[in-house]
């Protein structure tokens, strides 16, 4: 193969050429290295279990971790220190974290609820959102429409109006029913949505409008995967 550039080597790997020693990941990615790590104190009486999700704040100065054993952790990415641990953030596994702005974020849990948090006051939740009736697995936020969108193992996608969070009790509106939905992801401009299912299908919704999702995709009620 002679002397080739890194980009050519990556292309060779992509199209299935056998890997030569010079193409090993250690060579291609040798500039990537661990600069630090955080681990909870093994002697702690409240270990947090597996980390199910991570999210940086928009400014990148805070990382929030969603943990298996009902906890969320606030981490400083510069010092690698755990700034705050909330040991009973939910009553079951915490699955996902999503920031709305630099100080407000949400978590979702297998206890079927979502919780709103203020990074400046972590002693208690700002609010609890109820609506799903099974495990809640993902949260996405459309800045364009100022809407939150979530998936649960109750086969629904729900949409929440963030402008109503200050009013207290908020119940997400069902935007879509579809069997076996697990998680979803919005593109940064919120014009497309990718939805995954537990039966191995992915589907992509183009020209997305969360407000009209139920109307556009009412066929999903009868889809036989």
């Amino acid at each position: 193969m002679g002397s080739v550039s890194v980009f050519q080597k990556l292309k060779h790997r992509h199209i299935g050429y056998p890997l030569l020693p010079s193409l090993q990941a250690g060579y291609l990615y040798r500039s990537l290295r661990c600069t630090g790590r955080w681990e909870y104190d093994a002697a702690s009486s409240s270990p947090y279990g597996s980390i199910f999700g991570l999210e940086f704040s928009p400014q990148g100065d805070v990382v929030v971790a969603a943990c298996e054993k009902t906890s969320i952790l606030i981490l400083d990415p510069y010092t690698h220190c755990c700034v705050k641990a909330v040991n009973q953030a939910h009553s079951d596994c915490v699955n996902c974290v999503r920031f709305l702005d630099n100080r407000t974020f949400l978590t979702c849990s297998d206890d079927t609820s979502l919780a709103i948090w203020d990074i400046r006051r972590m002693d208690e939740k700002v609010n609890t959102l109820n609506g799903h009736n099974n495990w809640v697995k993902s949260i996405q936020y459309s800045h364009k429409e100022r809407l939150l969108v979530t998936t649960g193992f109750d086969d629904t996608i729900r949409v929440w109006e963030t402008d109503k969070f200050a009013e207290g009790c908020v119940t997400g509106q069902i935007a879509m029913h579809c069997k076996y939905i697990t998680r979803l992801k919005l593109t940064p401009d919120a014009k497309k949505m990718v939805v995954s299912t537990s039966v191995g299908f992915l589907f992509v919704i183009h020209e997305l409008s969360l407000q009209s999702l139920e109307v556009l995709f009412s066929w999903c009620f009868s889809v036989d995967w």
Side-chain angles (χ1 to χ4, degrees):
M1 294 172 60
S3 178
V4 294
S5 71
V6 169
F7 294 107
Q8 289 174 309
K9 292 173 181 177
L10 288 172
K11 182 179 179 180
H12 291 162
R13 187 185 69 173
H14 179 69
I15 62 179
Y17 285 176
L19 287 178
L20 299 176
S22 62
L23 298 182
Q24 298 301 319
Y27 170 78
L28 292 175
Y29 305 113
R30 65 184 184 276
S31 62
L32 297 177
R33 61 188 180 88
C34 179
T35 60
R37 60 189 300 171
W38 175 85
E39 294 183 85
Y40 67 82
D41 182 0
S44 171
S45 59
S46 300
Y48 311 110
S50 301
I51 293 178
F52 287 168
L54 286 171
E55 176 85 349
F56 274 94
S57 64
Q59 289 183 337
D61 55 352
V62 173
V63 178
V64 180
C67 300
E68 174 189 11
K69 296 187 176 179
T70 74
S71 304
I72 56 176
L73 306 175
I74 311 299
L75 306 169
D76 185 328
Y78 300 109
T79 64
H80 313 140
C81 293
C82 180
V83 178
K84 177 75 174 179
V86 182
N87 290 323
Q88 295 296 324
H90 286 271
S91 60
D92 207 335
C93 302
V94 187
N95 296 315
C96 183
V97 181
R98 186 68 58 209
F99 273 90
L100 301 185
D101 53 41
N102 285 315
R103 63 180 180 84
T104 308
F105 67 91
L106 289 98
T107 55
C108 66
S109 169
D110 285 356
D111 67 8
T112 77
S113 74
L114 294 91
I116 306 173
W117 304 87
D118 188 321
I119 200 75
R120 301 167 300 178
R121 296 184 292 273
M122 292 299 301
D123 292 335
E124 61 180 0
K125 305 170 188 176
V126 175
N127 201 351
T128 299
L129 307 180
N130 295 296
H132 285 285
N133 55 36
N134 207 325
W135 300 346
V136 188
K137 289 298 185 180
S138 64
I139 310 170
Q140 292 287 292
Y141 180 56
S142 169
H143 291 272
K144 178 180 67 175
E145 298 180 83
R146 294 183 58 82
L147 295 173
L148 201 70
V149 56
T150 60
T151 58
F153 278 14
D154 54 1
D155 297 334
T156 66
I157 294 176
R158 290 178 181 261
V159 174
W160 314 73
E161 296 182 51
T162 59
D163 292 336
K164 293 184 178 181
F165 284 176
E167 298 177 7
C169 182
V170 179
T171 301
Q173 299 299 310
I174 297 177
M176 184 174 174
H177 272 100
C178 188
K179 286 185 176 181
Y180 313 122
I181 284 177
T182 53
R183 291 170 175 81
L184 63 81
K185 184 73 174 179
L186 296 179
T187 55
D189 60 6
K191 291 183 178 179
K192 297 180 182 180
M193 182 168 71
V194 182
V195 181
S196 64
T197 68
S198 61
V199 290
F201 289 97
L202 291 171
F203 58 90
V204 182
I205 300 171
H206 299 269
E207 301 300 327
L208 177 66
S209 171
L210 294 173
Q211 296 282 13
S212 59
L213 196 59
E214 184 175 359
V215 174
L216 292 174
F217 292 92
S218 58
W219 56 268
C220 283
F221 282 96
S222 59
V223 166
D224 184 3
W225 295 109

